[in-house]
Amino acid sequence: DTGVSQNPRHKITKRGQNVTFRCDPISEHNRLYWYRQTLGQGPEFLTYFQNEAQLEKSRLLSDRFSAERPKGSFSTLEIQRTEQGDSAMYLCASSPQRARGAYNEQFFGPGTRLTVL
Amino acid sequence: AQSVTQLGSHVSVSEGALVLLRCNYSSSVPPYLFWYVQYPNQGLQLLLKYTTGATLVKGINGFEAEFKKSETSFHLTKPSAHMSDAAEYFCAVSATDKLIFGTGTRLQVFP
């Protein structure tokens, strides 16, 4: 078990370009989360999946953002027509699904730092 | 709705001194509470969590926190700071599946 991995670790792009990030969760974790962390702030929830189903999306996730988890394993987060305000650290986390009402601990990856010029 | 307030964006202590990082929460349902640590350019590592049961919880690296419902607080403490404790610390609350984080407290430790 190597933990949650994210690629790339760093991405620099020009405004208006599209970018895609990948997250590989801990194997057998069926829940996967995306968070965004801007400078000087705590992480903010974007969306999460249970297996391949996207169960919740934050209002922070504008139409330019799309997340997928096609086979219930890895996930991608795509940002279209990037803006300077998209510059942030994008964090992925995964958790197992336990009994309903029980807490499911989230394990975080190292993040992808996006810089939009 | 849930929220977290971390008092003090920066805390400085001397090595060997007590560490106290403050966190107050708001939740309409019994919350789960967490403290995470983040080192530069790294992801988040769970220090400790409160779900149910004992209100004083112990975590890794000698940290502990006490859930005080009457004060809606979950302050993080460590009796003796070490240089390696210098990092950003985040308090978080959850009642469902997503985590709601505070804005963080940067801990500096001076020799």
Side-chain angles (χ1 to χ4, degrees), chain A residues 19-32:
Chain A
V19 294
T20 300
F21 311 139
R22 175 176 171 132
C23 171
D24 287 88
I26 294 172
S27 58
E28 299 180 355
H29 279 190
N30 62 353
R31 291 190 170 181
L32 187 148

Side-chain angles (χ1 to χ4, degrees), chain B residues 7-31:
Chain B
L7 301 176
S9 59
H10 290 83
V11 170
S12 297
V13 299
S14 299
E15 191 173 21
L18 171 72
V19 175
L20 171 61
L21 305 183
R22 300 178 186 273
C23 173
N24 288 89
Y25 70 91
S26 173
S27 178
S28 56
V29 298

Side-chain angles (χ1 to χ4, degrees), chain B residues 26-90:
Chain B
S26 173
S27 178
S28 56
V29 298
Y32 296 148
L33 294 161
F34 313 87
W35 276 98
Y36 283 85
V37 61
Q38 186 176 36
Y39 297 98
N41 297 314
Q42 295 187 25
L44 301 169
Q45 180 182 11
L46 181 66
L47 277 178
L48 49 78
K49 63 181 183 287
Y50 169 79
T51 54
T52 58
T55 57
L56 180 63
V57 293
K58 296 184 184 299
I60 61 172
N61 302 338
F63 284 94
E64 62 182 36
E66 186 171 10
F67 170 60
K68 291 187 177 180
K69 184 177 179 180
S70 61
E71 298 177 8
T72 61
S73 69
F74 191 58
H75 301 331
L76 181 70
T77 61
K78 181 174 181 177
S80 177
H82 192 273
M83 296 295 290
S84 61
D85 294 327
E88 188 92 20
Y89 292 80
F90 293 96

